[in-house]
Amino acid sequence: QQQVKQSPQSLIVQKGGISIINCAYENTAFDYFPWYQQFPGKGPALLIAIRPDVSEKKEGRFTISFNKSAKQFSLHIMDSQPGDSATYFCAASTWSTLGRLYFGRGTQLTVWP
Amino acid sequence: DVKVTQSSRYLVKRTGEKVFLECVQDMDHENMFWYRQDPGLGLRLIYFSYDVKMKEKGDIPEGYSVSREKKERFSLILESASTNQTSMYLCASRGPRAPVAEAFFGQGTRLTVV
């Protein structure tokens, strides 16, 4: 059973538009929710992360929105650029998982110029 | 800068061969992980280790084993390679402040079994 469900699987956005990727989880013990970005030929790298004590975190054009009651969180990319074209993974973890991150299946984002 | 180094970027092996994938990290991290990445399936955890000589099965351990004799090195072993193990393999390490610690990934090993 997948612990973190991610949608959509792929996303095409025009340059300057807003990209939105959604994730949902069931385990209420999760207390750390990072997003990873992966470019072709590279390993994933941490983009931005949030703890459940806040509802939003913003870093530049990237924002995580977190809804604890709905057990959902999302990544918003404002003013999307062709350089943002990559695969994005949401993830979750908790102290009891021995350091393990549970990843969503990924979203392939393409930003057209 | 944390560095996770995987020994090979590309590997071609024959069916039935024993295959070793090596991963080394230089930040004294306790936790190390092996994932495989396939289109549409995301990152699937094969095995992870939270300390030297300690290992835990992930979601798809069948056909694989691991070894962690030293803290910095985590090896993935394919006992008898099969064509369905053709995939991208990613190693990662994570520091002691889990669950909030950042995971660092290697660049991956693309394994082809023929």
Side-chain angles (χ1 to χ4, degrees):
Chain A
Q1 185 186 356
Q2 203 170 3
Q3 298 264 0
V4 179
K5 295 182 179 178
Q6 182 173 348
S7 62
Q9 188 171 347
S10 63
L11 182 62
I12 299 174
V13 173
Q14 203 162 12
K15 179 182 175 182
I18 302 173
S19 304
I20 302 174
I21 304 170
N22 300 299
C23 286
Y25 65 96
E26 286 299 323
N27 187 349
T28 55
F30 287 145
D31 58 3
Y32 174 67
F33 302 90
W35 285 88
Y36 281 77
Q37 180 187 53
Q38 183 183 27
F39 293 107
K42 303 284 188 182
L46 180 66
L47 179 64
I48 187 172
I50 198 168
R51 301 291 305 273
D53 50 345
V54 297
S55 59
E56 187 175 282
K57 183 173 182 181
K58 186 175 180 180
E59 290 184 2
R61 295 184 294 108
F62 300 90
T63 300
I64 300 178
S65 296
F66 185 82
N67 186 330
K68 190 173 182 178
S69 60
K71 292 185 284 185
Q72 294 175 347
F73 58 110
S74 58
L75 177 69
H76 296 237
I77 306 174
M78 310 301 287
D79 186 27
S80 299
Q81 299 296 312
D84 297 330
S85 297
T87 301
Y88 293 82
F89 294 96
C90 62
S93 73
T94 177
W95 283 106
S96 65
T97 59
L98 296 174
R100 172 179 177 171
L101 282 165
Y102 290 87
F103 284 94
R105 288 193 174 181
T107 296
Q108 188 163 348
L109 172 66
T110 303
V111 181
W112 289 100
Chain B
D1 235 19
V2 174
K3 201 166 184 182
V4 178
T5 304
Q6 295 183 227
S7 52
S8 305
R9 289 297 303 274
Y10 301 94
L11 215 49
V12 179
K13 295 293 181 180
R14 295 196 181 277
T15 301
E17 275 193 80
K18 191 169 186 176
V19 181
F20 293 85
L21 302 183
E22 306 286 344
C23 176
V24 177
Q25 51 96 1
D26 64 1
M27 280 301 290
D28 202 36
H29 284 169
E30 281 75 10
N31 304 296
M32 295 189 73
F33 308 84
W34 276 106
Y35 294 90
R36 65 177 280 177
Q37 183 173 17
D38 301 288
L41 297 178
L43 301 167
R44 292 184 292 167
L45 183 65
I46 305 171
Y47 268 98
F48 66 106
S49 169
Y50 54 91
D51 202 349
V52 175
K53 297 190 187 294
M54 306 304 290
K55 61 185 179 184
E56 291 284 334
K57 292 180 180 179
D59 298 322
I60 51 165
E62 296 79 18
Y64 303 94
S65 62
V66 291
S67 172
R68 189 148 181 223
E69 296 296 318
K70 293 186 177 181
K71 193 174 186 180
E72 68 270 18
R73 186 179 298 271
F74 192 35
S75 302
L76 180 69
I77 303 154
L78 286 66
E79 297 291 342
S80 177
S82 65
T83 55
N84 63 12
Q85 293 178 309
T86 291
S87 186
M88 170 68 83
Y89 290 87
L90 287 161
C91 174
S93 74
R94 204 172 177 210
R97 292 186 301 115
V100 299
E102 178 178 354
F104 294 87
F105 284 82
Q107 289 208 317
T109 296
R110 184 163 294 282
L111 172 67
T112 302
V113 182
V114 298

